[in-house]
Amino acid sequence: MTNLIDFHFHLDYYEDYRNKYNYINNKLIYTLCMTNMPELYEANTSIFKVTKYVKFALGFNPQLAGSEKFNKSIFNKYLATTKYIGEVGLDYSREHIRSKNKQKEIFEYVCSVVADKNKIMSIHSRNAEEDVLSILVKNKIKYAIFHWYIGSLSTLEKIIKEGYYLSVNSSMMKTKKGLEIIKSIPLDRILVESDGPFTKIGNKVAEPENLYLTYKKLSEILGLNSEELVYKNLNELLHRSI
């Protein structure tokens, strides 16, 4: 049996986070836990031991740019302690467009200091896909995964051309556009995420215990064994980014 992979997950947003942490390790699910601020990366890594199956990404969620200060000193302090950066990016949705300039300033900075370090980035790009891609390319970012992509197919083609990956989730599998995007991603660029607890699998909050249902649905969509596919894709990405 192939190990499941969850490449975008918010452990610290679950009330029973310790149970989730133990479950992930016990069930051998390779899980990349996002942090929404450098301070939260610091807190998470002080509470939880990084294991073979639980890794933490250092991030600053663009949705917080209008209300929270980005602490460069804490970000820089921990940059060398992880291979993963996330959640980072831009969000030009109606709720967050007012902080557009601040978001861009922060994302530009993150990309500039990450550029030559072979980090793997998990990217938020809602309604800002072209600007995100432009900043990544300008800073010569090699390894990025667009999480929960909902942009145009034309921009998706550009993302693929740059060698980037996409992580898909259960919410994308419930909409016509989401399915169209999933079917347009080359098989060797697909990863899987839950984005738990911000999505649902079926009628329940996405969590490690029901992640297998996302893989089952993806296998049906693609007509192949998605567990083996995603496992192979992540291994190749990790090998490339050594």
Side-chain angles (χ1 to χ4, degrees), residues 94-110:
R94 186 173 62 180
E95 306 98 301
H96 304 292
I97 188 66
R98 283 177 293 180
S99 63
K100 174 181 177 178
N101 292 337
K102 177 60 70 173
Q103 291 180 43
K104 289 180 74 173
E105 178 187 324
I106 294 168
F107 188 48
E108 287 267 14
Y109 176 80
V110 168

Side-chain angles (χ1 to χ4, degrees), residues 36-84:
N36 281 344
M37 295 172 64
E39 293 90 333
L40 293 174
Y41 176 88
E42 184 174 51
N44 274 271
T45 53
S46 68
I47 295 171
F48 300 106
K49 179 183 177 183
V50 172
T51 69
K52 181 178 180 179
Y53 299 101
V54 176
K55 309 294 185 189
F56 289 92
L58 173 64
F60 186 87
N61 192 315
Q63 295 178 337
L64 298 180
S67 59
E68 303 291 341
K69 183 179 183 297
F70 172 58
N71 194 314
K72 286 184 181 179
S73 62
I74 296 180
F75 185 89
N76 293 338
K77 176 182 177 181
Y78 289 99
L79 186 57
T81 67
T82 180
K83 185 177 182 63
Y84 304 99

Side-chain angles (χ1 to χ4, degrees), residues 109-175:
Y109 176 80
V110 168
C111 288
S112 71
V113 297
V114 165
D116 61 346
K117 294 180 173 58
N118 279 0
K119 305 291 187 185
I120 296 175
M121 304 179 74
S122 186
I123 304 294
H124 181 115
S125 62
R126 187 166 58 168
N127 294 358
E129 296 84 6
E130 284 284 347
D131 276 4
V132 166
L133 182 59
S134 175
I135 292 171
L136 290 172
V137 171
K138 182 177 74 173
N139 286 280
K140 299 180 179 179
I141 298 297
K142 294 179 185 176
Y143 311 110
I145 296 95
F146 280 69
H147 118 84
W148 198 343
Y149 180 83
I150 56 171
S152 69
L153 293 181
S154 59
T155 303
L156 175 60
E157 288 182 11
K158 298 176 187 176
I159 290 169
I160 297 302
K161 187 177 179 181
E162 292 298 333
Y164 299 138
Y165 290 68
L166 294 98
S167 54
V168 304
N169 60 39
S170 58
S171 291
M172 296 174 69
M173 299 174 193
K174 297 174 183 175
T175 66

Side-chain angles (χ1 to χ4, degrees), residues 14 21 33 51 71 83 85 89 135 183 200 207 228:
Y14 289 87
Y21 174 83
C33 303
T51 69
N71 194 314
K83 185 177 182 63
I85 305 298
I135 292 171
K183 292 175 182 177
K200 287 188 174 182
E207 53 189 2
E228 291 181 0

